[in-house]
Amino acid sequence: MTNNIVVLGAGVSGLTTAYLLSQDPSNKITVLAKHMPGDYDIEYASPWAGANYMPVGKEGSAHHKWELDTWPALKEITDKYPEAGIHFRGTLIYNRKKDQETDTGKWFSELTQPNPWYKDVVLDFKSIPSDQLAPGVDNGQEFTSVCINTAVYLPWLVGQCVKNGAVFKRAVFKHIADAANAHHTGEKADVVINCTGLSSKTLGGVVDDKMYPARGQIVVVRNDPGPMMSTSGTDDGEDEALYIMTRAAGGGTILGGSYQKHNWSGIPDMNLANRIMKRCIDICPSLVKEGQGIEGLDIIRHGVGLRPLREGGTRIEKDKVDGVAIVHNYGHGGFGYQASFGCAYSAVSLVKEILQNKSRAKL
Ligand code: FAD
């Protein structure tokens, strides 16, 4: 028996889900999306991400499990498939207790605490001795994590899906149920997987008003400082952030950032950009030559992406809309890559439940 499956959305959530499903030859998969890898658009979060694995899920939560389950997959891809555009990278994390109540501090509270659950997951985790910390930093840790070049990794995922027989088509839908009629076989899909990110706020049949953006502004530079770095906050604003990561395979270095909730602007704010660059050089002087400031940065581009946040957390569940079986997998905020496989495993198990019921109904 074959299963006709539509994956709606070609960001990291849709592509990872399609990749897993495509490994079963009985699944005939169509990936439908307005935006595909190669596009840069404010409605498409995935290309803008750093992206790295810096866990933020609270211990004991579903989010914790998704991140925990994602590490082995990312590590395996990094080890076995250098062409996927992921590399291992040293990582430094600095925590200031005074950031605890800010938006950025809350977002990073699990990442920055001295004894996090992920210490047994990432490689070479150790605390930084307090006499090696800068003034004002209360605790710090170092470990080895991964950094993903999204411009290479997303097309790699497309390639894996295509190799396994999945068909990709551009399409824009006003209503989720319409996607069931666009399977490449011409037959109706047995299940539609909704991976539309922030657009789930307005997509007919979903209209999830719990969705909202957290605006992330970045500067991409050619400079390569070495390790990745992140702090619990900055002195420039409660929704500004400081992180540095050099992407694999010539992807440049991402300087971030911001975490501006409910801000929909896709236009880079050049004052914020200056603050981002200055903060990064302050914490990591080796970004530029000795004595240089911002003028020592070789800028590739400024960028803005909207992290698809959801009040109450990521939605991974079954639904039925106008008679069409749906599995939702959206609302991944600032952790869509580092939770990608964990979330996709959960979505795939719901798809399997729907397909089993279909088989039983046909007996
Ligand atoms: P998206 O990438 O937004 O994809 C949505 C897809 O649905 C697109 O293909 C779109 O065209 C399609 N679509 C939507 N509506 C329709 C419609 N009506 N019809 C047809 N198609 C439709 N995460 C990490 O894990 N690590 C990081 O280091 C990290 N850094 C980040 C830095 C920044 C600056 C930003 C902005 C995000 C970062 N993230 C990071 C978060 C991560 O990028 C997101 O969680 C993730 O990209 C969300 O992916 P998605 O596939 O759910 O949504």
Short mmCIF file of all heavy atoms in Angstrom, two decimals, residues 8-14 32-35 43-46 48-52 171-173 195-197 199 203 216 218 243 245 305-308 332-338, ligand 1:
data_model
loop_
_atom_site.label_atom_id
_atom_site.label_comp_id
_atom_site.label_asym_id
_atom_site.label_seq_id
_atom_site.Cartn_x
_atom_site.Cartn_y
_atom_site.Cartn_z
N LEU A 8 3.53 20.64 3.79
CA LEU A 8 3.34 22.05 3.41
C LEU A 8 4.38 22.88 4.16
O LEU A 8 4.32 23.02 5.38
CB LEU A 8 1.91 22.49 3.75
CG LEU A 8 1.54 23.92 3.36
CD1 LEU A 8 1.74 24.17 1.88
CD2 LEU A 8 0.11 24.24 3.76
N GLY A 9 5.34 23.44 3.37
CA GLY A 9 6.41 24.23 3.97
C GLY A 9 7.76 23.60 3.73
O GLY A 9 7.93 22.39 3.91
N ALA A 10 8.73 24.42 3.29
CA ALA A 10 10.07 23.91 2.98
C ALA A 10 11.14 24.64 3.78
O ALA A 10 12.23 24.91 3.30
CB ALA A 10 10.35 24.01 1.47
N GLY A 11 10.80 24.96 5.04
CA GLY A 11 11.82 25.41 5.98
C GLY A 11 12.44 24.17 6.63
O GLY A 11 12.17 23.03 6.23
N VAL A 12 13.23 24.39 7.66
CA VAL A 12 13.91 23.25 8.27
C VAL A 12 12.91 22.25 8.85
O VAL A 12 13.16 21.04 8.82
CB VAL A 12 14.94 23.72 9.33
CG1 VAL A 12 14.28 24.35 10.56
CG2 VAL A 12 15.85 22.57 9.74
N SER A 13 11.73 22.73 9.31
CA SER A 13 10.74 21.80 9.89
C SER A 13 10.14 20.90 8.82
O SER A 13 10.07 19.67 9.00
CB SER A 13 9.62 22.58 10.60
OG SER A 13 10.15 23.51 11.50
N GLY A 14 9.71 21.50 7.72
CA GLY A 14 9.11 20.71 6.64
C GLY A 14 10.13 19.78 6.00
O GLY A 14 9.83 18.60 5.75
N LEU A 32 5.20 21.04 -0.77
CA LEU A 32 4.63 22.23 -1.40
C LEU A 32 5.01 23.45 -0.57
O LEU A 32 4.90 23.43 0.66
CB LEU A 32 3.10 22.13 -1.42
CG LEU A 32 2.51 20.92 -2.13
CD1 LEU A 32 1.02 20.78 -1.78
CD2 LEU A 32 2.68 21.06 -3.63
N ALA A 33 5.47 24.52 -1.23
CA ALA A 33 5.82 25.71 -0.44
C ALA A 33 5.85 26.96 -1.30
O ALA A 33 6.14 26.91 -2.50
CB ALA A 33 7.19 25.53 0.22
N LYS A 34 5.56 28.06 -0.64
CA LYS A 34 5.70 29.38 -1.27
C LYS A 34 7.19 29.71 -1.44
O LYS A 34 7.60 30.24 -2.47
CB LYS A 34 5.00 30.41 -0.39
CG LYS A 34 5.00 31.82 -0.94
CD LYS A 34 4.15 32.73 -0.05
CE LYS A 34 4.13 34.16 -0.56
NZ LYS A 34 3.39 35.05 0.34
N HIS A 35 7.98 29.42 -0.40
CA HIS A 35 9.42 29.70 -0.44
C HIS A 35 10.20 28.40 -0.34
O HIS A 35 9.83 27.52 0.44
CB HIS A 35 9.82 30.62 0.71
CG HIS A 35 9.05 31.90 0.72
ND1 HIS A 35 7.94 32.08 1.52
CD2 HIS A 35 9.21 33.04 0.02
CE1 HIS A 35 7.45 33.28 1.30
NE2 HIS A 35 8.19 33.89 0.39
N GLU A 43 9.04 36.19 5.23
CA GLU A 43 8.06 35.15 5.60
C GLU A 43 8.71 33.77 5.75
O GLU A 43 8.00 32.77 5.95
CB GLU A 43 6.99 35.04 4.50
CG GLU A 43 6.07 36.23 4.41
CD GLU A 43 5.06 36.06 3.28
OE1 GLU A 43 5.03 35.01 2.62
OE2 GLU A 43 4.27 37.00 3.08
N TYR A 44 10.04 33.70 5.60
CA TYR A 44 10.73 32.41 5.55
C TYR A 44 11.91 32.47 6.53
O TYR A 44 12.95 33.05 6.22
CB TYR A 44 11.21 32.21 4.10
CG TYR A 44 11.81 30.90 3.71
CD1 TYR A 44 11.49 29.70 4.34
CD2 TYR A 44 12.72 30.84 2.65
CE1 TYR A 44 12.04 28.50 3.93
CE2 TYR A 44 13.28 29.65 2.21
CZ TYR A 44 12.94 28.48 2.87
OH TYR A 44 13.50 27.29 2.46
N ALA A 45 11.71 31.89 7.73
CA ALA A 45 12.71 32.07 8.80
C ALA A 45 14.00 31.30 8.56
O ALA A 45 15.09 31.77 8.92
CB ALA A 45 12.09 31.61 10.13
N SER A 46 13.89 30.10 7.99
CA SER A 46 15.01 29.17 8.04
C SER A 46 16.34 29.67 7.46
O SER A 46 17.39 29.42 8.05
CB SER A 46 14.62 27.84 7.39
OG SER A 46 13.61 27.22 8.17
N TRP A 48 17.68 32.49 7.54
CA TRP A 48 18.30 33.56 8.33
C TRP A 48 19.01 33.04 9.57
O TRP A 48 19.80 33.76 10.19
CB TRP A 48 17.24 34.59 8.75
CG TRP A 48 16.55 35.24 7.60
CD1 TRP A 48 15.27 35.03 7.20
CD2 TRP A 48 17.12 36.18 6.68
NE1 TRP A 48 15.00 35.80 6.09
CE2 TRP A 48 16.12 36.50 5.76
CE3 TRP A 48 18.39 36.77 6.56
CZ2 TRP A 48 16.33 37.38 4.70
CZ3 TRP A 48 18.61 37.65 5.51
CH2 TRP A 48 17.59 37.95 4.61
N ALA A 49 18.69 31.81 9.98
CA ALA A 49 19.24 31.29 11.23
C ALA A 49 20.75 31.14 11.12
O ALA A 49 21.29 30.96 10.03
CB ALA A 49 18.61 29.93 11.52
N GLY A 50 21.43 31.14 12.30
CA GLY A 50 22.90 31.02 12.37
C GLY A 50 23.43 29.90 11.55
O GLY A 50 24.12 30.14 10.55
N ALA A 51 23.14 28.68 11.80
CA ALA A 51 22.35 28.19 12.92
C ALA A 51 23.23 27.27 13.76
O ALA A 51 24.07 26.56 13.21
CB ALA A 51 21.15 27.40 12.41
N ASN A 52 23.02 27.27 15.06
CA ASN A 52 23.80 26.33 15.87
C ASN A 52 22.90 25.56 16.82
O ASN A 52 21.69 25.74 16.85
CB ASN A 52 24.93 27.05 16.61
CG ASN A 52 24.43 28.10 17.56
OD1 ASN A 52 23.26 28.10 17.94
ND2 ASN A 52 25.32 28.99 17.95
N ALA A 171 3.84 26.38 -4.43
CA ALA A 171 2.39 26.61 -4.34
C ALA A 171 2.12 27.50 -3.14
O ALA A 171 2.87 27.50 -2.18
CB ALA A 171 1.65 25.28 -4.18
N VAL A 172 1.06 28.27 -3.24
CA VAL A 172 0.64 29.12 -2.13
C VAL A 172 -0.81 28.78 -1.82
O VAL A 172 -1.64 28.74 -2.74
CB VAL A 172 0.73 30.62 -2.51
CG1 VAL A 172 0.42 31.49 -1.30
CG2 VAL A 172 2.11 30.95 -3.08
N PHE A 173 -1.11 28.52 -0.57
CA PHE A 173 -2.48 28.15 -0.20
C PHE A 173 -3.08 29.16 0.76
O PHE A 173 -2.42 29.64 1.67
CB PHE A 173 -2.49 26.75 0.45
CG PHE A 173 -2.05 25.68 -0.49
CD1 PHE A 173 -0.72 25.26 -0.51
CD2 PHE A 173 -2.94 25.13 -1.40
CE1 PHE A 173 -0.30 24.29 -1.41
CE2 PHE A 173 -2.53 24.17 -2.30
CZ PHE A 173 -1.21 23.75 -2.31
N CYS A 195 3.79 22.64 8.13
CA CYS A 195 5.07 23.17 8.59
C CYS A 195 5.23 24.60 8.08
O CYS A 195 6.25 24.95 7.48
CB CYS A 195 6.23 22.31 8.09
SG CYS A 195 6.11 20.57 8.60
N THR A 196 4.20 25.42 8.28
CA THR A 196 4.20 26.76 7.69
C THR A 196 4.72 27.85 8.64
O THR A 196 4.62 29.03 8.34
CB THR A 196 2.78 27.15 7.20
OG1 THR A 196 1.87 27.05 8.31
CG2 THR A 196 2.31 26.25 6.07
N GLY A 197 5.27 27.45 9.78
CA GLY A 197 5.90 28.43 10.67
C GLY A 197 4.95 29.56 11.06
O GLY A 197 3.78 29.34 11.40
N SER A 199 3.38 31.65 9.39
CA SER A 199 2.19 31.82 8.56
C SER A 199 1.00 31.03 9.07
O SER A 199 -0.14 31.24 8.62
CB SER A 199 2.48 31.41 7.11
OG SER A 199 3.49 32.23 6.59
N LEU A 203 -3.02 31.26 8.01
CA LEU A 203 -3.44 30.22 7.06
C LEU A 203 -4.84 29.70 7.42
O LEU A 203 -5.08 29.28 8.55
CB LEU A 203 -2.42 29.06 7.11
CG LEU A 203 -2.69 27.87 6.21
CD1 LEU A 203 -2.67 28.25 4.73
CD2 LEU A 203 -1.65 26.76 6.49
N GLY A 216 14.78 38.78 14.75
CA GLY A 216 16.22 38.58 14.93
C GLY A 216 16.99 39.31 13.84
O GLY A 216 16.81 39.03 12.66
N ILE A 218 20.71 40.30 12.20
CA ILE A 218 22.08 39.77 12.16
C ILE A 218 22.94 40.58 11.19
O ILE A 218 22.42 41.29 10.31
CB ILE A 218 22.10 38.29 11.70
CG1 ILE A 218 21.32 38.13 10.38
CG2 ILE A 218 21.52 37.38 12.77
CD1 ILE A 218 21.60 36.82 9.67
N TYR A 243 25.58 37.15 20.07
CA TYR A 243 26.13 35.83 19.73
C TYR A 243 26.94 35.91 18.45
O TYR A 243 26.74 36.79 17.61
CB TYR A 243 25.03 34.77 19.65
CG TYR A 243 23.93 35.02 18.64
CD1 TYR A 243 24.07 34.68 17.30
CD2 TYR A 243 22.72 35.60 19.04
CE1 TYR A 243 23.05 34.91 16.39
CE2 TYR A 243 21.71 35.83 18.13
CZ TYR A 243 21.88 35.48 16.81
OH TYR A 243 20.86 35.72 15.91
N MET A 245 28.81 33.23 15.52
CA MET A 245 29.05 31.85 15.05
C MET A 245 29.53 31.85 13.61
O MET A 245 28.98 32.56 12.76
CB MET A 245 27.80 30.98 15.23
CG MET A 245 26.62 31.40 14.42
SD MET A 245 25.18 30.38 14.77
CE MET A 245 24.28 31.41 15.91
N GLY A 305 15.37 38.11 10.33
CA GLY A 305 14.44 36.98 10.24
C GLY A 305 13.46 37.04 11.40
O GLY A 305 13.76 37.65 12.44
N LEU A 306 12.30 36.42 11.22
CA LEU A 306 11.29 36.41 12.29
C LEU A 306 11.19 34.99 12.86
O LEU A 306 10.78 34.06 12.15
CB LEU A 306 9.94 36.87 11.76
CG LEU A 306 9.89 38.28 11.16
CD1 LEU A 306 8.48 38.61 10.65
CD2 LEU A 306 10.35 39.35 12.17
N ARG A 307 11.58 34.84 14.12
CA ARG A 307 11.47 33.52 14.75
C ARG A 307 9.99 33.23 15.03
O ARG A 307 9.30 34.05 15.63
CB ARG A 307 12.23 33.50 16.08
CG ARG A 307 13.72 33.80 15.94
CD ARG A 307 14.39 33.81 17.30
NE ARG A 307 15.81 34.15 17.21
CZ ARG A 307 16.28 35.40 17.28
NH1 ARG A 307 15.46 36.42 17.43
NH2 ARG A 307 17.57 35.63 17.19
N PRO A 308 9.51 32.07 14.57
CA PRO A 308 8.07 31.77 14.73
C PRO A 308 7.75 31.26 16.14
O PRO A 308 7.74 30.06 16.39
CB PRO A 308 7.82 30.70 13.67
CG PRO A 308 9.15 30.04 13.47
CD PRO A 308 10.22 31.03 13.83
N HIS A 332 8.41 26.94 16.16
CA HIS A 332 9.70 26.51 16.72
C HIS A 332 10.59 27.65 17.19
O HIS A 332 11.78 27.44 17.46
CB HIS A 332 10.45 25.65 15.69
CG HIS A 332 9.68 24.45 15.26
ND1 HIS A 332 8.80 24.48 14.21
CD2 HIS A 332 9.62 23.20 15.76
CE1 HIS A 332 8.26 23.28 14.06
NE2 HIS A 332 8.72 22.50 14.99
N GLY A 333 10.04 28.86 17.24
CA GLY A 333 10.78 29.98 17.82
C GLY A 333 12.21 30.07 17.34
O GLY A 333 12.49 29.99 16.13
N GLY A 334 13.14 30.18 18.30
CA GLY A 334 14.57 30.33 17.97
C GLY A 334 15.32 29.01 18.04
O GLY A 334 16.54 28.99 18.20
N PHE A 335 14.57 27.87 17.92
CA PHE A 335 15.23 26.57 18.12
C PHE A 335 14.86 25.56 17.03
O PHE A 335 14.93 24.35 17.23
CB PHE A 335 14.89 26.02 19.52
CG PHE A 335 13.41 26.06 19.84
CD1 PHE A 335 12.58 25.02 19.49
CD2 PHE A 335 12.85 27.17 20.47
CE1 PHE A 335 11.23 25.05 19.77
CE2 PHE A 335 11.50 27.21 20.76
CZ PHE A 335 10.67 26.16 20.40
N GLY A 336 14.45 26.06 15.88
CA GLY A 336 13.95 25.17 14.82
C GLY A 336 14.97 24.17 14.32
O GLY A 336 14.60 23.05 13.93
N TYR A 337 16.25 24.53 14.30
CA TYR A 337 17.29 23.59 13.86
C TYR A 337 17.66 22.64 14.99
O TYR A 337 17.74 21.42 14.80
CB TYR A 337 18.54 24.35 13.38
CG TYR A 337 18.35 24.98 12.03
CD1 TYR A 337 17.73 26.23 11.90
CD2 TYR A 337 18.76 24.33 10.86
CE1 TYR A 337 17.54 26.81 10.67
CE2 TYR A 337 18.58 24.91 9.61
CZ TYR A 337 17.97 26.15 9.52
OH TYR A 337 17.77 26.72 8.28
N GLN A 338 17.90 23.20 16.18
CA GLN A 338 18.40 22.37 17.27
C GLN A 338 17.34 21.42 17.82
O GLN A 338 17.68 20.49 18.54
CB GLN A 338 19.00 23.24 18.37
CG GLN A 338 18.02 24.15 19.08
CD GLN A 338 18.75 25.28 19.79
OE1 GLN A 338 19.79 25.77 19.35
NE2 GLN A 338 18.24 25.71 20.92
P1 FAD B 1 10.01 28.60 7.97
O1 FAD B 1 11.47 28.45 7.76
O2 FAD B 1 9.50 29.99 8.13
O3 FAD B 1 9.30 27.92 6.73
C1 FAD B 1 7.92 28.04 6.50
C2 FAD B 1 7.61 27.41 5.16
O4 FAD B 1 6.20 27.39 4.96
C3 FAD B 1 8.20 28.17 3.97
O5 FAD B 1 8.62 27.28 2.96
C4 FAD B 1 6.99 28.99 3.49
O6 FAD B 1 7.08 29.40 2.13
C5 FAD B 1 5.91 27.96 3.69
N1 FAD B 1 4.55 28.56 3.74
C6 FAD B 1 4.04 29.33 4.72
N2 FAD B 1 2.76 29.65 4.43
C7 FAD B 1 2.47 29.06 3.25
C8 FAD B 1 1.29 29.01 2.44
N3 FAD B 1 0.16 29.62 2.80
N4 FAD B 1 1.34 28.32 1.28
C9 FAD B 1 2.48 27.67 0.91
N5 FAD B 1 3.61 27.69 1.65
C10 FAD B 1 3.60 28.36 2.80
N6 FAD B 1 17.23 28.00 15.33
C11 FAD B 1 18.18 27.15 15.82
O7 FAD B 1 17.88 25.99 16.10
N7 FAD B 1 19.48 27.58 16.00
C12 FAD B 1 19.86 28.85 15.71
O8 FAD B 1 21.04 29.20 15.87
C13 FAD B 1 18.88 29.76 15.22
N8 FAD B 1 19.22 31.04 14.92
C14 FAD B 1 18.27 31.89 14.43
C15 FAD B 1 18.63 33.20 14.10
C16 FAD B 1 17.71 34.07 13.53
C17 FAD B 1 18.13 35.47 13.19
C18 FAD B 1 16.40 33.61 13.27
C19 FAD B 1 15.40 34.51 12.63
C20 FAD B 1 16.03 32.32 13.61
C21 FAD B 1 16.93 31.46 14.20
N9 FAD B 1 16.60 30.14 14.56
C22 FAD B 1 17.55 29.27 15.04
C23 FAD B 1 15.19 29.68 14.48
C24 FAD B 1 14.89 28.94 13.21
O9 FAD B 1 15.37 29.65 12.11
C25 FAD B 1 13.37 28.72 13.08
O10 FAD B 1 12.86 28.10 14.24
C26 FAD B 1 13.08 27.81 11.90
O11 FAD B 1 13.71 28.29 10.75
C27 FAD B 1 11.58 27.66 11.64
O12 FAD B 1 11.47 26.82 10.52
P2 FAD B 1 10.08 26.42 9.88
O13 FAD B 1 10.38 25.42 8.84
O14 FAD B 1 9.15 26.03 10.97
O15 FAD B 1 9.52 27.78 9.25
#
